[in-house]
C-alpha cells in the first residue's frame, strides 16, 4: 500500500527541482516565443505535478476514510488504491505514447 511516503514524495520533488534547474539553465533569446524547450517543459511538468496531486489525495483518503460507500456498495481502500494504480499506469502509458508520436511526427515534418 502506501508505505514509503517520504521516499516517494522526495523523489517527485527532486524530479521537479531537477526539471526546473534544467529549464532555467537554457540560454535562449528573451523574445523567442513558445519554443521546443517550453513544449518539453510543459510536457514533463504535467505528469510530475499530477503524480504529486494524486499521491496527496491517496494519503488524505488513507488518513480520513477506512471504507468508502459509493451508491450503496462498500469498497475497501486496498481495492480503490489498486484501481487508481491501474488507472495511473494506463494514463501514463497513453501519455508516453502520444508524446512519442508527437516527437516522431515533428522530427519527420522537419526533414
Amino acid at each position: 500500500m502506501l508505505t514509503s511516503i517520504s521516499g516517494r514524495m522526495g523523489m517527485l520533488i527532486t524530479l521537479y527541482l531537477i526539471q526546473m534547474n534544467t529549464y532555467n539553465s537554457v540560454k535562449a533569446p528573451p523574445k523567442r516565443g513558445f519554443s521546443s524547450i517550453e513544449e518539453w517543459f510543459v510536457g514533463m511538468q504535467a505528469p510530475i505535478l499530477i503524480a504529486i496531486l494524486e499521491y496527496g489525495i491517496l494519503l488524505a483518503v488513507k488518513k480520513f476514510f477506512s471504507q468508502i460507500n459509493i451508491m450503496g456498495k462498500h469498497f475497501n481502500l486496498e481495492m480503490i488504491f489498486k484501481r487508481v494504480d491501474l488507472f495511473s499506469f494506463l494514463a501514463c502509458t497513453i501519455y508516453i505514447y502520444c508524446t512519442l508520436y508527437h516527437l516522431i511526427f515533428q522530427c519527420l515534418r522537419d526533414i
Side-chain angles (χ1 to χ4, degrees):
M1 202 148 111
L2 303 171
T3 55
S4 179
I5 294 169
S6 61
R8 292 178 187 202
M9 195 56 75
M11 181 186 68
L12 289 171
I13 297 299
T14 302
L15 283 172
Y16 187 73
L17 291 174
I18 289 171
Q19 178 197 7
M20 294 299 284
N21 189 25
T22 304
Y23 177 73
N24 288 331
S25 67
V26 172
K27 304 273 192 256
K31 295 183 180 183
R32 69 181 181 273
F34 198 76
S35 65
S36 296
I37 192 68
E38 279 81 18
E39 287 182 26
W40 172 82
F41 180 70
V42 170
M44 297 310 298
Q45 188 178 22
I48 294 172
L49 292 177
I50 290 171
I52 291 171
L53 181 67
E54 173 192 352
Y55 199 61
I57 290 171
L58 288 178
L59 289 175
V61 167
K62 181 181 176 186
K63 181 177 181 179
F64 295 115
F65 300 103
S66 61
Q67 282 192 346
I68 296 179
N69 294 330
I70 300 174
M71 300 172 93
K73 291 186 178 181
H74 298 286
F75 295 99
N76 62 1
L77 292 180
E78 282 291 323
M79 189 169 68
I80 291 173
F81 289 159
K82 285 182 182 179
R83 288 183 179 181
V84 169
D85 217 14
L86 178 64
F87 177 75
S88 293
F89 173 74
L90 292 175
C92 286
T93 304
I94 292 169
Y95 183 80
I96 289 170
Y97 175 77
C98 291
T99 304
L100 288 175
Y101 178 78
H102 175 70
L103 179 67
I104 292 170
F105 182 71
Q106 181 115 9
C107 288
L108 291 175
R109 189 179 66 182
D110 292 341
I111 293 179

